[in-house]
Amino acid sequence: MRRKMAEDKRPIAIWGTGVEAAAIYYQFYKDGKQTALFFDNYVETEGKFLDMQIVKPTFERVGMRYYTFVPCKYATYFNIVEQLIKYGLKEVCDFVYYACYNKKIAILHGNCHMEILR
């Protein structure tokens, strides 16, 4: 059985190295949470971002070893979700959009007007 996000003890990974990634990294820092590493599809060689390791994501590297936060523009999030799902990960159980950090989760189900309500 998969753990709930609130009780998950896996190390935290951040997917991306943009402004949003820096913002969530510092939010974790303020809250006393440690980030293990950053994943980035566009990194050619492993390097550093905010003095943390950046690695190119692969199935072997991502796996279910980390709980991953995905900080990016909301439209970009869905492309990354596809990649994570191909790795066998499940949204909320294994990864989440960064804006969901410290938020309660609500599920909205409906027709095309749900985007406006969200």
Side-chain angles (χ1 to χ4, degrees):
M1 181 176 191
R2 294 188 186 245
R3 295 173 287 219
K4 294 179 193 169
M5 187 171 85
E7 34 184 74
D8 203 314
K9 300 295 182 206
R10 290 179 284 181
I12 293 173
I14 298 176
W15 190 287
T17 55
V19 173
E20 296 91 350
I24 193 73
Y25 172 81
Y26 285 116
Q27 185 62 50
F28 290 149
Y29 181 79
K30 275 179 34 182
D31 293 346
K33 297 184 186 296
Q34 232 178 357
T35 302
L37 58 86
F38 288 89
F39 290 115
D40 197 322
N41 283 321
Y42 300 107
V43 68
E44 293 302 319
T45 59
E46 294 182 11
K48 298 269 186 185
F49 178 70
L50 302 173
D51 289 330
M52 299 294 300
Q53 183 181 15
I54 307 171
V55 297
K56 194 167 193 79
T58 63
F59 172 76
E60 294 78 22
R61 287 182 176 159
V62 178
M64 289 189 206
R65 285 188 252 165
Y66 302 99
Y67 192 84
T68 305
F69 285 85
V70 184
C72 59
K73 304 291 184 229
Y74 197 66
T76 307
Y77 177 69
F78 296 104
N79 296 327
I80 296 168
V81 166
E82 285 180 32
Q83 185 176 358
L84 290 168
I85 288 173
K86 285 180 186 174
Y87 291 161
L89 303 178
K90 295 188 189 284
E91 192 170 19
V92 179
C93 293
D94 299 312
F95 67 91
V96 72
Y97 186 60
Y98 82 112
C100 295
Y101 175 64
N102 276 345
K103 301 264 185 341
K104 296 190 186 246
I105 295 175
I107 297 174
L108 303 175
H109 180 75
N111 60 19
C112 60
H113 301 287
M114 293 308 293
E115 182 62 23
I116 295 166
L117 294 173
R118 183 187 61 77

